Amino acid sequence: MDKFIIQKSSLKGEVKISGSKNAALPVMAATLLTDGQCVIKNVPDLSDIRTMVKILECLGKEIKFEENTLIVKKSSKKLNPGFIAPYRLVRTMRASFCCLGPLLAKRKKAKVALPGGCVIGPRPVDLHLKGLSQLGAKVSIENGYCVAGGKDLKGCHLYLGGQFGSSVLATANVLMAATLIEGKTVIEHAACEPEIEMLALFLKSMGADIEGEATPLITVRGQKSLSGTTFEVIPDRIEAATFIAAALATKSSITLTGVNLKHLTAVIDVVKMIGGQVIETNGACRVNVPSKLSPVNITTFSYPGFPTDLQAQFMVALSLASGISLITEKIYPDRFMHVAELNRMGASIQRSGPYAIIEGKEALFGAEVMASDLRASAALVIAGLAALGKTEVLRVYHIDRGYEKIEEKFSKLGAKIKREKQ
Ligand code: EPZ
Protein backbone atom coordinates (compact mmCIF):
# COMPACT_ATOMS: atom_id res chain seq x y z
CA MET A 1 0.00 0.00 0.00
CA ASP A 2 1.30 3.45 -0.89
CA LYS A 3 1.26 6.60 1.20
CA PHE A 4 1.84 10.27 0.43
CA ILE A 5 4.40 12.37 2.28
CA ILE A 6 3.38 16.01 2.02
CA GLN A 7 4.91 19.29 3.22
CA LYS A 8 3.27 22.71 3.38
CA SER A 9 3.28 24.14 -0.13
CA SER A 10 2.29 27.13 -2.15
CA LEU A 11 0.86 26.31 -5.60
CA LYS A 12 1.41 28.13 -8.87
CA GLY A 13 1.22 27.43 -12.59
CA GLU A 14 -1.13 25.37 -14.73
CA VAL A 15 -2.87 22.05 -14.32
CA LYS A 16 -4.66 20.09 -17.07
CA ILE A 17 -7.94 18.51 -16.01
CA SER A 18 -8.55 14.88 -17.02
CA GLY A 19 -11.70 13.31 -18.44
CA SER A 20 -14.49 12.62 -15.95
CA LYS A 21 -14.44 9.24 -14.19
CA ASN A 22 -18.12 9.42 -13.32
CA ALA A 23 -19.03 10.23 -16.93
CA ALA A 24 -16.76 7.55 -18.41
CA LEU A 25 -18.02 4.66 -16.25
CA PRO A 26 -21.74 4.69 -17.31
CA VAL A 27 -20.72 5.25 -20.94
CA MET A 28 -18.50 2.17 -20.72
CA ALA A 29 -21.52 0.21 -19.44
CA ALA A 30 -23.55 1.61 -22.35
CA THR A 31 -21.25 -0.15 -24.83
CA LEU A 32 -23.10 -3.34 -23.77
CA LEU A 33 -26.10 -2.01 -25.72
CA THR A 34 -24.40 -2.57 -29.08
CA ASP A 35 -22.37 -5.19 -30.94
CA GLY A 36 -20.69 -2.36 -32.84
CA GLN A 37 -17.32 -0.87 -31.99
CA CYS A 38 -17.20 2.10 -29.61
CA VAL A 39 -14.24 4.45 -29.39
CA ILE A 40 -14.25 6.55 -26.23
CA LYS A 41 -11.67 9.32 -25.96
CA ASN A 42 -10.38 11.34 -22.98
CA VAL A 43 -10.93 8.44 -20.55
CA PRO A 44 -8.87 8.93 -17.36
CA ASP A 45 -6.46 6.10 -16.56
CA LEU A 46 -7.73 5.14 -13.11
CA SER A 47 -8.18 1.94 -11.16
CA ASP A 48 -12.01 2.28 -11.33
CA ILE A 49 -11.81 2.47 -15.13
CA ARG A 50 -9.59 -0.64 -15.20
CA THR A 51 -12.12 -2.46 -12.97
CA MET A 52 -14.88 -1.58 -15.45
CA VAL A 53 -12.66 -2.87 -18.28
CA LYS A 54 -12.42 -6.24 -16.46
CA ILE A 55 -16.19 -6.35 -15.94
CA LEU A 56 -16.87 -5.65 -19.62
CA GLU A 57 -14.36 -8.35 -20.56
CA CYS A 58 -16.30 -10.80 -18.33
CA LEU A 59 -19.39 -9.73 -20.26
CA GLY A 60 -17.93 -10.54 -23.66
CA LYS A 61 -16.19 -7.35 -24.77
CA GLU A 62 -12.68 -7.06 -26.16
CA ILE A 63 -11.02 -3.85 -24.99
CA LYS A 64 -7.94 -1.85 -25.86
CA PHE A 65 -7.06 1.03 -23.53
CA GLU A 66 -4.16 3.21 -24.64
CA GLU A 67 -3.36 6.89 -24.24
CA ASN A 68 -6.73 7.67 -22.67
CA THR A 69 -8.66 6.09 -25.54
CA LEU A 70 -10.81 3.02 -25.06
CA ILE A 71 -11.75 0.83 -27.99
CA VAL A 72 -14.55 -1.54 -27.05
CA LYS A 73 -15.77 -4.25 -29.40
CA LYS A 74 -17.54 -7.58 -29.27
CA SER A 75 -15.13 -10.35 -28.35
CA SER A 76 -14.57 -13.04 -30.94
CA LYS A 77 -14.53 -15.57 -28.06
CA LYS A 78 -17.75 -17.34 -27.08
CA LEU A 79 -19.65 -15.55 -24.31
CA ASN A 80 -19.62 -17.62 -21.16
CA PRO A 81 -22.21 -16.90 -19.79
CA GLY A 82 -22.16 -13.25 -20.84
CA PHE A 83 -24.64 -11.70 -18.42
CA ILE A 84 -22.99 -12.04 -15.00
CA ALA A 85 -21.04 -9.20 -13.32
CA PRO A 86 -19.23 -11.02 -10.49
CA TYR A 87 -19.03 -9.88 -6.86
CA ARG A 88 -15.20 -9.91 -6.79
CA LEU A 89 -15.25 -6.96 -9.23
CA VAL A 90 -18.55 -5.22 -8.37
CA ARG A 91 -17.69 -5.00 -4.64
CA THR A 92 -14.70 -2.76 -5.43
CA MET A 93 -16.78 -0.28 -7.43
CA ARG A 94 -20.48 0.51 -7.15
CA ALA A 95 -20.67 2.05 -10.62
CA SER A 96 -20.47 -1.47 -12.06
CA PHE A 97 -24.12 -1.85 -10.98
CA CYS A 98 -25.04 0.25 -14.02
CA CYS A 99 -24.31 -2.75 -16.24
CA LEU A 100 -27.71 -4.05 -15.08
CA GLY A 101 -29.90 -1.89 -17.37
CA PRO A 102 -27.90 -2.44 -20.59
CA LEU A 103 -27.58 -6.20 -20.01
CA LEU A 104 -31.28 -6.52 -19.35
CA ALA A 105 -32.27 -4.55 -22.44
CA LYS A 106 -29.78 -6.13 -24.84
CA ARG A 107 -29.43 -9.70 -23.55
CA LYS A 108 -32.82 -9.98 -21.81
CA LYS A 109 -31.16 -11.23 -18.63
CA ALA A 110 -28.69 -9.85 -16.14
CA LYS A 111 -27.06 -11.05 -12.96
CA VAL A 112 -25.10 -8.31 -11.24
CA ALA A 113 -23.68 -8.58 -7.72
CA LEU A 114 -25.28 -6.20 -5.22
CA PRO A 115 -22.60 -3.66 -4.35
CA GLY A 116 -23.10 -3.74 -0.56
CA GLY A 117 -22.21 -1.09 2.03
CA CYS A 118 -19.96 1.88 1.58
CA VAL A 119 -17.83 4.00 3.89
CA ILE A 120 -19.73 7.17 2.89
CA GLY A 121 -22.96 5.72 4.35
CA PRO A 122 -25.86 3.55 3.16
CA ARG A 123 -26.13 3.37 -0.61
CA PRO A 124 -29.30 1.47 -1.50
CA VAL A 125 -30.23 0.40 -5.04
CA ASP A 126 -34.03 0.42 -4.60
CA LEU A 127 -34.53 3.13 -7.23
CA HIS A 128 -32.57 1.13 -9.83
CA LEU A 129 -34.72 -1.93 -9.13
CA LYS A 130 -37.98 0.06 -9.03
CA GLY A 131 -37.26 1.68 -12.39
CA LEU A 132 -36.32 -1.55 -14.15
CA SER A 133 -39.30 -3.42 -12.61
CA GLN A 134 -41.65 -0.75 -13.95
CA LEU A 135 -40.21 -1.38 -17.40
CA GLY A 136 -41.45 -4.96 -17.01
CA ALA A 137 -38.32 -6.69 -15.70
CA LYS A 138 -38.68 -9.56 -13.25
CA VAL A 139 -36.19 -8.61 -10.56
CA SER A 140 -35.13 -10.79 -7.63
CA ILE A 141 -32.29 -10.91 -5.15
CA GLU A 142 -30.55 -14.29 -5.10
CA ASN A 143 -27.42 -15.09 -3.08
CA GLY A 144 -26.17 -11.52 -3.05
CA TYR A 145 -26.90 -10.95 -6.73
CA CYS A 146 -29.59 -8.94 -8.43
CA VAL A 147 -31.10 -11.16 -11.09
CA ALA A 148 -33.25 -9.47 -13.73
CA GLY A 149 -35.09 -11.10 -16.60
CA GLY A 150 -36.87 -9.26 -19.33
CA LYS A 151 -39.08 -11.16 -21.79
CA ASP A 152 -41.92 -8.58 -21.68
CA LEU A 153 -40.17 -5.25 -21.38
CA LYS A 154 -42.25 -2.22 -22.32
CA GLY A 155 -41.73 1.54 -22.10
CA CYS A 156 -43.73 3.38 -19.42
CA HIS A 157 -43.99 6.63 -17.45
CA LEU A 158 -42.04 6.27 -14.22
CA TYR A 159 -41.02 8.38 -11.24
CA LEU A 160 -37.42 8.00 -10.09
CA GLY A 161 -37.22 10.40 -7.13
CA GLY A 162 -36.11 9.06 -3.76
CA GLN A 163 -35.68 10.19 -0.18
CA PHE A 164 -32.54 12.14 -1.13
CA GLY A 165 -33.74 13.41 -4.49
CA SER A 166 -32.71 12.03 -7.88
CA SER A 167 -30.23 9.20 -8.34
CA VAL A 168 -27.42 9.51 -10.86
CA LEU A 169 -26.76 5.85 -11.54
CA ALA A 170 -30.42 4.75 -11.24
CA THR A 171 -31.21 7.33 -13.95
CA ALA A 172 -28.30 5.91 -15.99
CA ASN A 173 -29.57 2.33 -15.61
CA VAL A 174 -33.16 3.13 -16.60
CA LEU A 175 -32.14 5.49 -19.42
CA MET A 176 -29.80 2.92 -20.95
CA ALA A 177 -32.36 0.12 -20.69
CA ALA A 178 -35.13 2.27 -22.21
CA THR A 179 -33.11 2.92 -25.40
CA LEU A 180 -33.71 -0.69 -26.51
CA ILE A 181 -37.13 -1.27 -24.94
CA GLU A 182 -40.17 -1.06 -27.20
CA GLY A 183 -42.38 2.00 -26.69
CA LYS A 184 -42.01 5.34 -25.00
CA THR A 185 -40.40 5.70 -21.56
CA VAL A 186 -40.69 8.91 -19.59
CA ILE A 187 -38.38 9.26 -16.58
CA GLU A 188 -39.67 11.81 -14.09
CA HIS A 189 -37.29 13.19 -11.44
CA ALA A 190 -34.32 12.10 -13.53
CA ALA A 191 -30.84 13.19 -12.47
CA CYS A 192 -29.62 16.32 -14.32
CA GLU A 193 -25.89 15.85 -13.67
CA PRO A 194 -23.59 16.65 -16.64
CA GLU A 195 -22.47 13.00 -16.52
CA ILE A 196 -26.08 11.90 -17.29
CA GLU A 197 -26.40 14.53 -19.99
CA MET A 198 -23.21 13.14 -21.53
CA LEU A 199 -24.51 9.59 -21.30
CA ALA A 200 -27.65 10.66 -23.18
CA LEU A 201 -25.54 12.33 -25.87
CA PHE A 202 -23.41 9.20 -26.15
CA LEU A 203 -26.56 7.06 -26.53
CA LYS A 204 -27.94 9.48 -29.14
CA SER A 205 -24.69 9.14 -31.09
CA MET A 206 -25.42 5.37 -31.11
CA GLY A 207 -28.85 6.04 -32.61
CA ALA A 208 -31.00 6.31 -29.47
CA ASP A 209 -34.06 8.59 -29.50
CA ILE A 210 -33.84 10.71 -26.34
CA GLU A 211 -35.29 14.11 -25.42
CA GLY A 212 -34.96 16.19 -22.29
CA GLU A 213 -31.48 15.17 -21.12
CA ALA A 214 -30.11 17.61 -18.49
CA THR A 215 -33.69 18.13 -17.27
CA PRO A 216 -35.69 16.15 -14.67
CA LEU A 217 -38.01 14.81 -17.41
CA ILE A 218 -36.32 12.54 -19.95
CA THR A 219 -38.26 10.89 -22.77
CA VAL A 220 -36.87 7.85 -24.57
CA ARG A 221 -38.35 6.03 -27.57
CA GLY A 222 -36.95 2.52 -27.78
CA GLN A 223 -35.07 1.41 -30.90
CA LYS A 224 -34.57 -2.09 -32.34
CA SER A 225 -30.78 -1.76 -32.15
CA LEU A 226 -27.99 0.73 -31.53
CA SER A 227 -24.75 1.12 -33.44
CA GLY A 228 -21.13 1.72 -32.45
CA THR A 229 -19.86 5.28 -32.08
CA THR A 230 -16.90 7.55 -31.36
CA PHE A 231 -17.21 9.96 -28.45
CA GLU A 232 -15.15 12.19 -26.14
CA VAL A 233 -15.63 12.27 -22.36
CA ILE A 234 -16.28 15.65 -20.69
CA PRO A 235 -13.72 17.20 -18.30
CA ASP A 236 -13.92 16.03 -14.69
CA ARG A 237 -15.72 18.82 -12.82
CA ILE A 238 -14.92 17.21 -9.46
CA GLU A 239 -11.20 16.99 -10.22
CA ALA A 240 -11.23 20.62 -11.39
CA ALA A 241 -12.94 21.81 -8.22
CA THR A 242 -10.61 19.70 -6.07
CA PHE A 243 -7.69 21.77 -7.46
CA ILE A 244 -9.71 24.94 -6.80
CA ALA A 245 -10.22 23.82 -3.19
CA ALA A 246 -6.46 23.19 -2.94
CA ALA A 247 -5.77 26.71 -4.23
CA LEU A 248 -8.15 28.12 -1.59
CA ALA A 249 -6.67 26.11 1.29
CA THR A 250 -3.06 26.95 0.34
CA LYS A 251 -4.02 30.55 -0.54
CA SER A 252 -2.45 30.13 -3.97
CA SER A 253 -3.38 31.27 -7.46
CA ILE A 254 -3.43 28.64 -10.22
CA THR A 255 -4.74 28.11 -13.76
CA LEU A 256 -6.85 25.12 -14.83
CA THR A 257 -6.94 24.04 -18.46
CA GLY A 258 -9.37 21.66 -20.18
CA VAL A 259 -12.17 22.59 -17.80
CA ASN A 260 -15.86 23.28 -18.45
CA LEU A 261 -16.92 26.09 -16.12
CA LYS A 262 -20.59 25.69 -17.10
CA HIS A 263 -20.58 22.53 -14.96
CA LEU A 264 -19.20 24.40 -11.95
CA THR A 265 -21.62 27.31 -11.41
CA ALA A 266 -22.57 26.36 -7.83
CA VAL A 267 -18.93 25.78 -6.94
CA ILE A 268 -17.77 29.10 -8.40
CA ASP A 269 -20.52 30.85 -6.44
CA VAL A 270 -19.10 29.38 -3.21
CA VAL A 271 -15.51 30.20 -4.23
CA LYS A 272 -16.51 33.84 -4.74
CA MET A 273 -18.24 33.96 -1.34
CA ILE A 274 -15.06 32.60 0.24
CA GLY A 275 -13.19 35.46 -1.41
CA GLY A 276 -11.62 33.74 -4.43
CA GLN A 277 -11.73 35.08 -7.96
CA VAL A 278 -12.45 32.83 -10.96
CA ILE A 279 -11.60 34.25 -14.38
CA GLU A 280 -12.29 32.41 -17.63
CA THR A 281 -9.77 33.05 -20.40
CA ASN A 282 -9.59 31.16 -23.72
CA GLY A 283 -10.83 27.80 -22.42
CA ALA A 284 -8.65 28.10 -19.32
CA CYS A 285 -9.66 29.24 -15.87
CA ARG A 286 -7.57 31.35 -13.52
CA VAL A 287 -8.28 31.09 -9.80
CA ASN A 288 -6.92 33.90 -7.61
CA VAL A 289 -7.10 33.48 -3.85
CA PRO A 290 -6.66 36.22 -1.23
CA SER A 291 -4.64 35.76 1.98
CA LYS A 292 -7.82 35.86 4.11
CA LEU A 293 -10.73 33.47 3.44
CA SER A 294 -14.33 34.27 4.43
CA PRO A 295 -16.53 31.65 6.10
CA VAL A 296 -19.59 30.40 4.17
CA ASN A 297 -22.51 28.04 4.58
CA ILE A 298 -22.64 25.21 2.05
CA THR A 299 -25.46 22.74 1.47
CA THR A 300 -24.89 19.80 -0.84
CA PHE A 301 -27.63 19.03 -3.37
CA SER A 302 -27.95 17.09 -6.57
CA TYR A 303 -26.95 19.03 -9.72
CA PRO A 304 -27.07 21.98 -10.28
CA GLY A 305 -26.48 22.29 -6.51
CA PHE A 306 -23.14 22.07 -4.74
CA PRO A 307 -21.84 18.49 -5.20
CA THR A 308 -21.46 16.09 -2.27
CA ASP A 309 -18.26 14.93 -3.97
CA LEU A 310 -16.64 18.27 -3.06
CA GLN A 311 -17.87 18.64 0.49
CA ALA A 312 -14.71 17.21 2.12
CA GLN A 313 -12.27 19.23 -0.01
CA PHE A 314 -14.07 22.54 0.68
CA MET A 315 -14.25 21.70 4.39
CA VAL A 316 -10.44 21.93 4.46
CA ALA A 317 -10.48 25.44 3.00
CA LEU A 318 -13.20 26.49 5.47
CA SER A 319 -11.08 25.13 8.33
CA LEU A 320 -8.68 27.96 7.49
CA ALA A 321 -11.29 30.72 7.00
CA SER A 322 -11.75 33.65 9.39
CA GLY A 323 -14.97 32.66 11.16
CA ILE A 324 -17.57 29.95 11.47
CA SER A 325 -18.95 27.99 8.51
CA LEU A 326 -21.73 25.41 8.31
CA ILE A 327 -21.82 22.47 5.92
CA THR A 328 -25.10 20.59 5.51
CA GLU A 329 -24.82 17.24 3.74
CA LYS A 330 -28.14 16.48 2.03
CA ILE A 331 -27.06 13.57 -0.18
CA TYR A 332 -25.05 11.32 2.14
CA PRO A 333 -25.76 12.47 5.73
CA ASP A 334 -22.98 10.19 7.05
CA ARG A 335 -20.26 11.31 4.65
CA PHE A 336 -18.05 12.83 7.35
CA MET A 337 -15.23 10.31 7.90
CA HIS A 338 -12.71 13.07 7.15
CA VAL A 339 -13.86 15.22 10.11
CA ALA A 340 -11.95 13.24 12.75
CA GLU A 341 -8.80 13.19 10.62
CA LEU A 342 -8.97 16.96 9.96
CA ASN A 343 -9.45 17.58 13.70
CA ARG A 344 -6.27 15.54 14.31
CA MET A 345 -4.54 18.12 12.13
CA GLY A 346 -5.75 20.99 14.32
CA ALA A 347 -9.06 21.80 12.62
CA SER A 348 -12.05 22.60 14.81
CA ILE A 349 -15.05 20.83 13.31
CA GLN A 350 -18.09 19.62 15.19
CA ARG A 351 -20.39 17.19 13.50
CA SER A 352 -24.01 16.75 14.44
CA GLY A 353 -26.08 14.50 12.16
CA PRO A 354 -25.90 15.90 8.62
CA TYR A 355 -24.28 19.16 9.84
CA ALA A 356 -20.66 20.10 10.32
CA ILE A 357 -19.82 23.34 12.11
CA ILE A 358 -16.35 24.54 11.18
CA GLU A 359 -14.53 27.12 13.25
CA GLY A 360 -11.76 28.49 11.06
CA LYS A 361 -8.21 28.34 12.50
CA GLU A 362 -5.00 30.25 11.74
CA ALA A 363 -3.21 27.04 10.76
CA LEU A 364 -3.41 23.27 10.43
CA PHE A 365 -0.57 21.01 11.57
CA GLY A 366 0.93 17.98 9.81
CA ALA A 367 0.02 14.52 11.15
CA GLU A 368 -0.30 10.91 10.08
CA VAL A 369 -3.83 10.55 8.71
CA MET A 370 -5.83 7.77 7.16
CA ALA A 371 -7.72 8.07 3.88
CA SER A 372 -11.20 6.52 4.13
CA ASP A 373 -12.70 7.09 0.68
CA LEU A 374 -11.88 8.81 -2.58
CA ARG A 375 -12.97 12.39 -1.87
CA ALA A 376 -11.95 12.28 1.82
CA SER A 377 -8.47 11.25 0.61
CA ALA A 378 -8.33 14.25 -1.68
CA ALA A 379 -9.32 16.45 1.28
CA LEU A 380 -6.48 15.03 3.38
CA VAL A 381 -3.98 15.70 0.59
CA ILE A 382 -5.21 19.31 0.43
CA ALA A 383 -4.98 19.57 4.22
CA GLY A 384 -1.40 18.25 4.04
CA LEU A 385 -0.48 20.91 1.47
CA ALA A 386 -1.93 23.63 3.70
CA ALA A 387 -0.62 22.35 7.06
CA LEU A 388 2.60 23.34 8.81
CA GLY A 389 5.13 20.51 8.93
CA LYS A 390 4.90 17.01 7.53
CA THR A 391 1.70 15.09 6.77
CA GLU A 392 1.54 11.40 5.89
CA VAL A 393 -1.65 10.29 4.15
CA LEU A 394 -1.98 6.51 4.47
CA ARG A 395 -4.03 4.17 2.21
CA VAL A 396 -3.87 6.36 -0.88
CA TYR A 397 -5.22 3.55 -3.07
CA HIS A 398 -8.59 5.28 -2.57
CA ILE A 399 -7.31 8.35 -4.39
CA ASP A 400 -5.94 6.26 -7.27
CA ARG A 401 -9.54 5.17 -7.95
CA GLY A 402 -10.56 8.66 -9.02
CA TYR A 403 -7.68 11.11 -9.58
CA GLU A 404 -5.36 10.58 -12.53
CA LYS A 405 -1.68 11.21 -11.65
CA ILE A 406 -2.63 13.40 -8.70
CA GLU A 407 0.82 13.69 -7.17
CA GLU A 408 2.35 14.43 -10.58
CA LYS A 409 -0.21 17.17 -11.17
CA PHE A 410 0.31 18.70 -7.71
CA SER A 411 4.12 18.46 -8.08
CA LYS A 412 3.90 20.34 -11.38
CA LEU A 413 2.07 23.07 -9.46
CA GLY A 414 5.02 23.24 -7.07
CA ALA A 415 3.61 21.06 -4.28
CA LYS A 416 5.95 19.09 -2.03
CA ILE A 417 4.32 15.67 -2.30
CA LYS A 418 5.84 12.25 -2.87
CA ARG A 419 4.54 8.70 -2.93
CA GLU A 420 6.18 6.01 -0.81
CA LYS A 421 5.49 2.37 -0.12
CA GLN A 422 3.78 2.07 3.28
C1 EPZ B 1 -23.00 8.92 -8.10
O1 EPZ B 1 -23.26 7.81 -7.26
C2 EPZ B 1 -21.50 9.13 -8.10
N1 EPZ B 1 -20.85 7.93 -8.59
C3 EPZ B 1 -21.01 9.46 -6.69
O2 EPZ B 1 -19.63 9.77 -6.76
C4 EPZ B 1 -21.77 10.70 -6.19
O3 EPZ B 1 -21.39 10.96 -4.85
C5 EPZ B 1 -23.28 10.47 -6.28
O4 EPZ B 1 -23.64 10.10 -7.63
C6 EPZ B 1 -24.08 11.71 -5.90
O5 EPZ B 1 -23.74 12.77 -6.76
C7 EPZ B 1 -20.72 7.74 -9.91
O6 EPZ B 1 -21.19 8.50 -10.73
C8 EPZ B 1 -19.95 6.55 -10.35
P1 EPZ B 1 -26.99 8.52 -6.28
P2 EPZ B 1 -24.73 7.17 -7.22
O7 EPZ B 1 -27.74 7.30 -6.63
O8 EPZ B 1 -25.38 7.32 -8.53
C9 EPZ B 1 -29.87 7.69 -2.64
C10 EPZ B 1 -17.37 9.67 -6.12
O9 EPZ B 1 -16.75 10.03 -5.11
N2 EPZ B 1 -30.31 6.51 -3.37
O10 EPZ B 1 -27.16 9.72 -7.13
O11 EPZ B 1 -24.60 5.80 -6.65
C11 EPZ B 1 -28.43 7.61 -2.19
O12 EPZ B 1 -28.29 6.85 -1.01
C12 EPZ B 1 -18.71 8.97 -6.01
O13 EPZ B 1 -16.95 9.79 -7.28
C13 EPZ B 1 -31.39 5.80 -2.93
O14 EPZ B 1 -32.00 6.13 -1.91
O15 EPZ B 1 -25.44 8.12 -6.20
C14 EPZ B 1 -28.07 9.07 -2.03
O16 EPZ B 1 -28.57 9.54 -0.82
C15 EPZ B 1 -19.07 8.62 -4.61
N3 EPZ B 1 -31.79 4.69 -3.64
C16 EPZ B 1 -28.85 9.73 -3.17
O17 EPZ B 1 -29.89 8.80 -3.51
C17 EPZ B 1 -31.15 4.29 -4.77
O18 EPZ B 1 -31.55 3.29 -5.37
C18 EPZ B 1 -28.05 10.03 -4.41
O19 EPZ B 1 -27.27 8.90 -4.77
C19 EPZ B 1 -30.05 5.03 -5.23
C20 EPZ B 1 -29.65 6.14 -4.51
Side-chain angles (χ1 to χ4, degrees):
M1 256 191 269
D2 294 353
K3 65 179 175 183
F4 283 144
I5 316 283
I6 304 171
Q7 302 279 350
K8 183 169 169 56
S9 307
S10 179
L11 308 179
K12 64 170 192 283
E14 231 177 69
V15 59
K16 163 116 179 50
I17 299 308
S18 297
S20 160
K21 161 184 89 81
N22 288 349
L25 290 169
V27 151
M28 288 171 75
T31 64
L32 292 166
L33 291 162
T34 179
D35 292 333
Q37 173 175 289
C38 295
V39 179
I40 312 168
K41 299 178 181 171
N42 200 30
V43 178
D45 192 351
L46 301 167
S47 58
D48 272 10
I49 297 289
R50 298 216 170 246
T51 302
M52 192 58 129
V53 165
K54 285 189 197 142
I55 291 171
L56 293 179
E57 284 170 347
C58 279
L59 294 169
K61 292 289 187 187
E62 203 173 285
I63 299 178
K64 210 163 108 188
F65 185 28
E66 273 173 14
E67 291 176 12
N68 297 104
T69 297
L70 268 172
I71 302 177
V72 186
K73 57 185 181 188
K74 192 176 168 192
S75 168
S76 44
K77 291 180 210 143
K78 195 172 175 305
L79 294 187
N80 189 21
F83 61 94
I84 301 178
Y87 180 61
R88 77 187 149 81
L89 295 172
V90 173
R91 79 187 153 89
T92 64
M93 189 188 66
R94 283 183 59 87
S96 36
F97 200 65
C98 65
C99 291
L100 189 66
L103 282 177
L104 175 73
K106 175 78 176 154
R107 301 185 188 171
K108 306 295 175 229
K109 53 185 175 182
K111 186 172 170 184
V112 179
L114 283 165
C118 184
V119 75
I120 66 177
R123 296 185 69 188
V125 290
D126 56 307
L127 296 172
H128 301 240
L129 306 187
K130 175 180 149 187
L132 296 176
S133 302
Q134 291 194 9
L135 289 170
K138 299 267 175 299
V139 181
S140 59
I141 306 299
E142 295 170 20
N143 309 107
Y145 278 76
C146 171
V147 182
K151 289 217 169 71
D152 303 306
L153 300 172
K154 190 120 189 81
C156 70
H157 189 119
L158 57 92
Y159 179 77
L160 217 48
Q163 200 189 341
F164 297 98
S166 56
S167 162
V168 176
L169 292 179
T171 303
N173 249 331
V174 173
L175 171 64
M176 288 189 278
T179 59
L180 283 182
I181 292 178
E182 193 195 323
K184 179 166 122 177
T185 298
V186 178
I187 309 170
E188 231 185 280
H189 213 320
C192 301
E193 271 68 6
E195 294 77 18
I196 293 296
E197 180 187 16
M198 191 196 97
L199 173 64
L201 296 176
F202 178 80
L203 294 166
K204 282 178 163 185
S205 75
M206 296 167 90
D209 181 346
I210 301 171
E211 280 168 40
E213 66 273 13
T215 79
L217 196 75
I218 302 181
T219 304
V220 188
R221 288 176 186 82
Q223 306 295 304
K224 289 249 174 307
S225 66
L226 298 180
S227 61
T229 185
T230 297
F231 205 84
E232 183 162 332
V233 172
I234 54 173
D236 194 321
R237 63 192 170 105
I238 305 299
E239 188 202 9
T242 297
F243 281 104
I244 296 177
L248 287 170
T250 58
K251 302 184 180 158
S252 307
S253 294
I254 60 169
T255 300
L256 313 178
T257 62
V259 58
N260 186 345
L261 289 186
K262 288 194 191 78
H263 296 159
L264 286 166
T265 313
V267 175
I268 292 170
D269 199 51
V270 165
V271 172
K272 286 181 180 161
M273 285 192 285
I274 294 175
Q277 212 188 11
V278 181
I279 308 158
E280 192 172 8
T281 44
N282 297 335
C285 154
R286 176 83 187 153
V287 183
N288 294 326
V289 177
S291 56
K292 199 169 154 194
L293 307 181
S294 303
V296 294
N297 295 342
I298 298 176
T299 302
T300 65
F301 283 115
S302 45
Y303 192 82
F306 188 91
T308 172
D309 290 346
L310 291 170
Q311 179 252 104
Q313 300 90 312
F314 274 71
M315 189 181 284
V316 180
L318 296 179
S319 297
L320 291 160
S322 313
I324 294 177
S325 303
L326 173 70
I327 291 185
T328 307
E329 176 53 72
K330 290 265 192 186
I331 308 294
Y332 296 115
D334 289 322
R335 194 177 200 175
F336 285 117
M337 298 289 282
H338 42 285
V339 167
E341 298 301 285
L342 293 177
N343 282 344
R344 293 185 58 246
M345 296 180 74
S348 173
I349 307 164
Q350 275 186 54
R351 184 207 158 178
S352 174
Y355 305 104
I357 302 157
I358 304 133
E359 187 193 341
K361 293 282 180 192
E362 279 293 315
L364 297 178
F365 302 93
E368 266 188 278
V369 286
M370 187 85 84
S372 54
D373 71 89
L374 170 57
R375 307 303 171 188
S377 316
L380 294 178
V381 168
I382 295 172
L385 294 171
L388 297 169
K390 178 169 116 178
T391 296
E392 291 194 18
V393 182
L394 312 181
R395 293 199 186 171
V396 299
Y397 60 86
H398 290 293
I399 217 163
D400 295 331
R401 293 186 49 195
Y403 289 92
E404 194 179 38
K405 300 184 188 143
I406 189 157
E407 74 269 34
E408 238 176 75
K409 289 189 181 187
F410 270 125
S411 298
K412 250 189 96 191
L413 288 172
K416 294 176 204 134
I417 175 169
K418 63 178 193 243
R419 186 185 284 259
E420 273 185 10
K421 293 268 168 246
Q422 203 169 304

